[in-house]
Amino acid sequence: MPGAGPIRYDLGHFRRRPMEAMVSTPRGWQFFMHPGPTNIPQRVLQAMARPAVDFTGAEFVALRDACLRRLRRILKSEAATVVAYAASGNGAWEASIANLFSPGERVLVCESGYFSRNWAATAEAFGLQVEILPTSERAVVDVQALGAQLARDAGHAIKAVLLVHNETSTGMRHPVAEARAVIDAVGHPALFLVDTISSLASYDFRMDEWGVDLVVGGAQKGLMLPPGMSFTAANTKALAAAQAARNPRRYFDWRNMVKDGRQASFVGTAPMHFFYGLEVALDMLEEEGLENVFARHRRLAQATRACVDAWAAGGGPQVFPLERAYASDSLTAVLMPPGHDADRVRSIAEARYGVALGRGLTTLQGRVFRIGHMGALNEPMLLGALAAIELALRDAGVPFGRGGIEAAQAALAA
Ligand code: PLP
């Protein structure tokens, strides 16, 4: 029976050599297809291989200010106060909760999966009351239900609505502009907070136009940097809320970092090497052109979905989101047919074929594997990964429809 034999875990040769953007093995590159961190381009790695400088000196201050200004362009915001932290995305979540609220205040979290639940857990850790807008597993956040839940809050006890733009655990985009429209339609004054950690610089985001009061972003996905840097971007309404907020805070306290609406310092040593890398990552995005970057992500996503649809037609794995219009452009979560283990496919893909995939998180563990297609990625990398995943499916004895790779090629050619 295919796939019945033992999997040989032979990871010893996947060793990272210095200054290489991908993991080199004696038989070629490892294809790193995680939905974050993502492939770090050689140019970014090289830019970071520099000595430290005085982080209060003019050279670093100019670099920091320029990078924060350029990030505003990616967020499509004229005036937001962007603050960077030496912290992974969880740090930016914590900054959002610590700066904006007081203990006992109520927030409404739109459930979208693992990452929405963890943002909610951060709010609970600060003593906030968390109300959940429930969403069924493979569905998009229901903005009409959001409007109804806000309309019931006649006393305006809800201080903020929290929404994850791209839920990385399910590979689903959620409707930001539409959520803002219903908040306005019911005349609710809640702040609107959006997590863009796995959409930023991968697809269109319009902070000002969509009326987002606070954005949370991270470095290790579309921005192609190592993990360990994250951001918030606040508009004037969010900055005003921060003045009144009583949550305890120090490392993430905007009052310690922001002067005249701009980040003027860090609490502690500035993470200058991230800025060396960020400057070059922004150069790369601007050289390609943001709209072209978005179009590339869309094409790679469409090709991935075309491939998975062909697998599904043979009773095989399928695209996890049910509503195709909301399937993510930065990753595809792939749902296994019943009785087949996604982690076995992942193990085979990595150990035999050198393709590293994301796992299913908590309730989706074993049911889903995730193909990251964001950041520094091109057509041959994607096609190679998809073909190797097909081999892994075959080795694991998972049924699947034929023609996936041809379907991906056809989508790319179109
Ligand atoms: N939000 C989203 C949408 C994410 O994908 C992640 C991480 O993958 C996080 C938040 C948490 O970020 P980090 O793991 O960098 O702390």
Side-chain angles (χ1 to χ4, degrees):
M1 187 180 115
I7 306 167
R8 282 200 302 112
Y9 294 93
D10 183 15
L11 294 172
H13 53 266
F14 292 132
R15 292 277 178 260
R16 186 176 288 279
R17 292 213 305 257
M19 300 313 301
E20 285 181 349
M22 297 172 77
V23 177
S24 174
T25 80
R27 53 191 189 90
W29 302 111
Q30 186 196 43
F31 279 31
F32 190 70
M33 304 295 291
H34 274 240
T38 57
N39 294 297
I40 307 171
Q42 182 83 12
R43 271 174 75 184
V44 171
L45 287 172
Q46 267 165 347
M48 296 179 82
R50 276 182 53 183
V53 292
D54 174 3
F55 64 91
T56 61
E59 181 191 346
F60 174 70
V61 167
L63 171 66
R64 178 199 68 201
D65 291 353
C67 285
L68 297 177
R69 198 168 49 245
R70 290 166 80 188
L71 277 177
R72 280 212 306 278
R73 263 190 246 146
I74 293 191
L75 291 164
K76 302 217 169 86
S77 175
E78 288 290 321
T81 299
V82 181
V83 178
Y85 313 95
S88 78
N90 270 266
W93 272 347
E94 186 150 337
S96 71
I97 302 297
N99 280 290
L100 293 176
F101 306 107
S102 302
E105 283 186 340
R106 182 176 290 272
V107 294
L108 175 56
V109 176
C110 303
E111 187 184 22
S112 54
Y114 176 82
F115 290 103
S116 69
R117 289 195 293 275
N118 280 324
W119 202 4
T122 309
E124 276 165 357
F126 277 82
L128 302 197
Q129 295 179 54
V130 174
E131 216 174 284
I132 301 287
L133 174 75
T135 306
S136 52
E137 195 181 60
R138 296 175 70 186
V140 71
V141 165
D142 180 347
V143 290
Q144 296 316 319
L146 171 64
Q149 200 151 332
L150 289 173
R152 282 195 293 276
D153 178 38
H156 296 164
I158 294 171
K159 296 298 171 205
V161 173
L162 277 59
L163 176 68
V164 176
H165 183 206
N166 187 73
E167 174 54 70
T168 324
S169 65
T170 60
M172 213 176 307
R173 174 180 72 83
H174 292 280
V176 177
E178 295 84 341
R180 163 48 76 192
V182 302
I183 297 171
D184 290 346
V186 299
H188 200 290
L191 290 166
F192 186 31
L193 278 55
V194 177
D195 172 332
T196 66
I197 287 181
S198 59
S199 58
L200 189 70
S202 293
Y203 49 95
D204 198 18
F205 187 81
R206 303 177 181 210
M207 179 176 180
D208 290 356
E209 187 184 320
W210 296 347
V212 179
D213 298 305
L214 186 99
V215 173
V216 171
Q220 78 274 25
K221 307 215 187 226
L223 286 176
M224 307 176 287
L225 292 169
M229 185 190 217
S230 55
F231 316 92
T232 51
N235 69 7
T236 48
K237 185 175 170 187
L239 290 176
Q243 292 305 319
R246 285 179 288 101
N247 267 345
R249 57 210 199 255
R250 184 171 178 282
Y251 183 68
F252 294 112
D253 192 342
W254 298 340
R255 294 168 303 190
N256 290 330
M257 291 184 267
V258 175
K259 221 172 142 209
D260 300 328
R262 295 285 161 254
Q263 181 169 22
S265 62
F266 286 80
V267 177
T269 307
M272 64 197 67
H273 288 76
F274 276 103
F275 283 90
Y276 298 153
L278 179 58
E279 180 182 42
V280 170
L282 291 166
D283 285 347
M284 291 176 70
L285 292 167
E286 288 170 11
E287 284 160 15
E288 185 175 353
L290 259 193
E291 299 310 317
N292 296 330
V293 172
F294 300 154
R296 171 168 57 85
H297 280 78
R298 167 60 55 90
R299 290 179 66 240
L300 296 179
Q302 284 169 339
T304 307
R305 294 194 283 266
C307 177
V308 179
D309 285 346
W311 294 341
Q318 53 184 279
V319 173
F320 186 76
L322 288 175
E323 289 176 69
R324 193 44 67 94
Y326 291 96
S328 164
D329 282 351
S330 56
L331 78 141
T332 298
V334 181
L335 179 66
M336 297 296 287
H340 293 275
D341 180 8
D343 287 335
R344 181 169 165 81
V345 174
R346 288 179 56 248
S347 300
I348 295 173
E350 183 160 347
R352 286 193 193 150
Y353 302 113
V355 172
L357 301 167
R359 68 177 64 243
L361 298 168
T362 58
T363 54
L364 298 181
Q365 187 172 0
R367 296 169 58 206
V368 153
F369 65 84
R370 294 173 301 148
I371 307 170
H373 34 75
M374 74 184 110
L377 200 75
N378 61 26
E379 291 81 353
M381 291 159 83
L382 181 73
L383 288 170
L386 293 173
I389 296 168
E390 238 190 58
L391 286 173
L393 291 171
R394 195 194 55 181
D395 292 356
V398 179
F400 63 92
R402 305 294 144 167
I405 306 309
E406 288 83 348
Q409 287 172 323
L412 291 172

